[in-house]
Amino acid sequence: MWPIESCGSTVTILKHWNVNTALWLRHYVYERMQAAAPALKPFADIVTNLASALWHGLFAGYYVFFAAMALTNKAAKQLHKSVTPLVRHASRRFPPLWWLYRAFCAVLAPWVIAYFAPLFVLLEFRTGIQALAAMRFIPVAVIAAVLVFPWSLFRRVAGIQRVGREYVVCVPRVPAVVEANNG
């Protein structure tokens, strides 16, 4: 339970929520879909979450909830690849920034899942959407904005590169100025 309570991402929460089912879905749906159809790789998250919805039942709320979780996870991964390296780099000069960022993520991740939870609990599409409308669909708009933002261009401009499995800020080296000896 601690990984769920202390995490800072929706990806981690869903990974640790029902570990055996998550492992089964990862092995039999997600990984096999990526291996069998590389062209469909970007949709593996959505298909895996829809398989989970089918596993739960035939209520529309399940499908909308799990589709929303797949899109939320895609947005979270984009932010992780693009924002986390910048915060990590900036926290070298101001160490409390890293802890503030982690605290923000730890509050945001469960809040986003709680926002979509009425779809799962109420089961009916109409009543679930009415519950989401109570917050004016603001989280939906934010997730949509994150998904359409050109993150690859942002990472290129910010100097973020993939090194191994991590994304890091690569500060270009300024060539040393060599003074010519005109003496």
Side-chain angles (χ1 to χ4, degrees), residues 3-4 6-14 73 76 80 102 105-106 109-110 113:
I4 294 171
S6 64
C7 79
S9 97
T10 56
V11 176
T12 307
I13 290 175
L14 296 177
N73 284 346
H80 178 73
R102 297 301 300 154
C105 291
I113 291 178

Side-chain angles (χ1 to χ4, degrees), residues 41-153:
K41 203 173 188 177
F43 304 103
D45 282 339
I46 294 172
V47 171
T48 303
N49 277 283
L50 292 178
S52 184
L54 181 63
W55 183 289
H56 281 83
L58 298 176
F59 290 101
Y62 289 143
Y63 293 91
V64 178
F65 172 79
F66 283 106
M69 287 296 95
L71 295 174
T72 299
N73 284 346
K74 268 199 173 318
K77 288 174 184 177
Q78 287 299 325
L79 288 173
H80 178 73
K81 290 190 282 189
S82 303
V83 176
T84 303
L86 292 175
V87 173
R88 196 174 282 145
H89 183 72
S91 67
R92 291 179 185 164
R93 291 191 179 148
F94 183 67
L97 180 63
W98 178 251
W99 296 108
L100 291 170
Y101 175 72
R102 297 301 300 154
F104 175 75
C105 291
V107 170
L108 184 64
W111 179 79
V112 169
I113 291 178
Y115 171 76
F116 288 112
L119 292 164
F120 189 90
V121 175
L122 296 174
L123 302 177
E124 292 181 17
F125 180 77
R126 188 171 52 97
T127 55
I129 295 299
Q130 287 172 345
L132 299 184
M135 290 192 67
R136 309 282 191 256
F137 298 105
I138 292 171
V140 174
V142 170
I143 290 167
V146 168
L147 289 172
V148 299
F149 188 81
W151 291 107
S152 59
L153 176 64

